[in-house]
Amino acid sequence: MSEGNASRAWPAAERPRRLLLVAGEASGDLHGADLVGALRASVGELEVFGLGGERLREAGMQTVADASDVATVGLTQASGRLRTLWRAYRALARRLRDDPPDLCVLIDFPEFNLRLARLAKRAGVPVLYYIGPQVWAWRPGRVRKVARRVDRLAVVFPFEPKLYARQLAHVEFVGHPLLDRVRITAGRDETLRAHGLDPARRTVLLLPGSRPSEIDYLLPPLLDAVRLLGRDAQYQFPLALAHTLSADEIRRRVATAGVDVRVVEGDTYNLIGAADLTLVSSGTATLECTLLERPMVIIYRLGPLSYVLGRLLVRGVRYIGMPNIVAGREVVPELLQRQATGTRIAAAARAILDDPARHAAIVDGLRDVRRRLGRGGAAGRAAAIATEMLRERA
């Protein structure tokens, strides 16, 4: 919508629309910033406050807590963040009670957000959930709770609307927001040479995750796998560093392990595109590899107690990796917990690298998953829903 249209839609005499937004993960911070940008283009002046990170602050959000201070992996690791979470929750609860916004937008982060949604509903504030809780994995009975506390739901996986159909009328598949983000800007040879790598060698990319706890559990077996695969001189091993991690710390760990791994900052998508194979932590990065149609081995490890508790809570899901969940079959191999050893990772990697037919079949499978994830424009479609809710509120 143009600025002129926005002015007609929201007269200058009106106060700015006020939005409470919560994004408790790095990916939610990114997608939230895109949503805020699209929403500003639609409604004009907008005041945004809540829980988010660097990208949302750049988009003009006033944060009561930083997403990096509350994001955790696993269940037991959350204990160290409870104080920060509780302070953020109380601050937002106070705002909802004393000065209610026009709209509450929640992004993923279900344990926190579903509690906040209940308070928003009590305060008479409409609730839009964007990138909804993964009810198909964690506690399917949560569908009823979502339906009671949420007015509209914008989901990013094609199978999700059916899960809510009986409980919540206003559910829309908007496509996955990564479709607008994941792009290659340089060719394979250019990318590899830029980082001191040899285009003539086969490239196995390490994507060990974005949180320190993931690094603790996943980097050691990945480096063990590199040690085994590296006996063949045809392979080279860059590591794409998440912006949330310390490059010096990762380089120190690599040096201590005594393996030849090139740690690269700020060029993840080009490196994925240049790789013959990725060894990737379960999470958002598996979708990034999917969108770039790069074969992968998915690995996943937690602390023993977190894993046992997680297995008790997860019901009816055969896979941990999103490419396999979306496809409904094993497109790429998964190595979970005790299976995620250097020996098994190296063997799974060789099984793909040494078999061109299997490599090609995986690419075909990932291409199909990409098609299922919809078209671009998820943030714009979610912003259109939010705009409609604000109009109803005006």
Side-chain angles (χ1 to χ4, degrees):
M1 184 181 289
S2 68
E3 286 189 21
N5 288 338
S7 298
R8 287 193 293 274
W10 307 103
E14 284 193 6
R15 63 171 175 79
R17 301 293 94 184
R18 296 177 59 250
L19 180 71
L20 187 164
L21 190 149
V22 176
E25 302 276 353
S27 58
D29 180 52
L30 181 68
H31 303 321
D34 288 344
L35 173 64
V36 168
L39 194 53
R40 286 192 197 281
S42 178
V43 305
E45 201 171 352
L46 185 70
E47 292 181 4
V48 186
F49 68 95
L51 193 159
E54 180 182 354
R55 301 295 176 86
L56 275 164
R57 281 192 295 275
E58 290 172 354
M61 179 179 181
Q62 176 194 359
T63 54
V64 302
D66 192 281
S68 64
D69 293 333
V70 301
T72 59
V73 136
L75 300 172
T76 58
Q77 287 87 355
S79 59
R81 312 287 185 173
L82 284 178
R83 186 173 299 174
T84 302
L85 277 169
W86 179 239
R87 282 199 300 263
Y89 181 80
R90 287 195 302 174
L92 294 175
R94 238 181 348 260
R95 295 284 287 270
L96 280 167
R97 182 183 64 248
D98 299 340
D99 189 18
D102 298 292
L103 180 65
C104 178
V105 175
L106 308 174
I107 300 177
D108 204 357
F109 206 48
E111 298 296 344
F112 186 97
N113 276 338
L114 285 176
R115 286 171 172 79
L116 197 68
R118 178 175 56 189
L119 297 183
K121 292 285 281 187
R122 288 177 180 173
V125 177
V127 177
L128 167 62
Y129 214 128
Y130 176 40
I131 311 179
Q134 294 180 350
V135 296
W136 35 270
W138 293 83
R139 307 177 197 169
R142 188 180 276 173
V143 169
R144 291 186 294 274
K145 182 185 291 186
V146 173
R148 287 195 306 268
R149 301 180 184 184
V150 170
D151 296 288
R152 303 280 294 271
L153 190 58
V155 297
V156 299
F157 294 111
F159 54 81
E160 291 182 295
K162 184 178 179 181
L163 299 176
Y164 290 96
R166 293 184 179 180
Q167 302 286 343
L168 186 61
H170 300 291
V171 182
E172 182 176 341
F173 171 53
V174 295
H176 203 286
L178 281 177
L179 285 160
D180 295 312
R181 282 278 178 179
V182 178
R183 293 285 184 275
I184 291 175
T185 59
R188 180 182 186 275
D189 288 9
E190 179 185 353
T191 295
L192 294 178
R193 289 195 179 100
H195 301 299
L197 298 163
D198 184 357
R201 298 171 69 187
R202 303 188 77 184
T203 300
V204 178
L205 176 65
L206 309 185
L207 292 166
S210 60
R211 305 180 186 113
S213 56
E214 288 178 306
I215 296 302
D216 290 341
Y217 285 115
L218 298 180
L219 188 59
L222 281 174
L223 297 181
D224 287 343
V226 167
R227 190 176 291 107
L228 295 170
L229 292 168
R231 294 171 182 170
D232 188 333
Q234 70 172 313
Y235 297 123
Q236 59 190 350
F237 305 93
L239 184 155
L241 188 75
H243 75 277
T244 51
L245 299 174
S246 163
D248 290 341
E249 172 62 15
I250 301 303
R251 290 190 177 105
R252 183 192 66 76
R253 294 192 185 204
V254 168
T256 299
V259 293
D260 186 9
V261 170
R262 182 68 54 91
V263 178
V264 179
E265 301 177 72
D267 202 18
T268 297
Y269 294 159
N270 284 334
L271 282 169
I272 293 173
D276 296 282
L277 178 73
T278 65
L279 306 178
V280 56
S281 166
S282 176
T284 300
T286 65
L287 286 173
E288 293 168 334
C289 293
T290 297
L291 295 179
L292 294 173
E293 299 172 7
R294 287 298 85 199
M296 70 193 91
V297 176
I298 298 174
I299 61 172
Y300 181 77
R301 291 182 74 178
L302 292 172
L305 179 57
S306 294
Y307 183 74
V308 170
L309 291 173
R311 294 294 294 177
L312 291 173
L313 292 172
V314 172
R315 292 288 186 272
V317 178
R318 294 178 58 192
Y319 306 108
I320 197 75
M322 285 311 307
N324 294 336
I325 291 171
V326 173
R329 63 184 180 89
E330 185 177 283
V331 176
V332 297
E334 301 179 351
L335 296 173
L336 314 182
Q337 208 63 7
R338 291 182 180 179
Q339 294 180 330
T341 65
T343 300
R344 286 178 178 268
I345 294 168
R350 286 195 196 97
I352 297 171
L353 292 165
D354 295 345
D355 186 345
R358 187 176 183 197
H359 190 281
I362 290 175
V363 172
D364 286 343
L366 295 175
R367 191 169 292 139
D368 176 61
V369 172
R370 180 189 172 105
R371 283 194 295 266
R372 296 183 188 213
L373 290 174
R375 59 195 191 282
R381 282 187 283 278
I385 297 171
T387 300
E388 184 178 329
M389 295 175 76
L390 286 169
R391 289 185 191 280
E392 294 168 354
R393 181 81 166 169

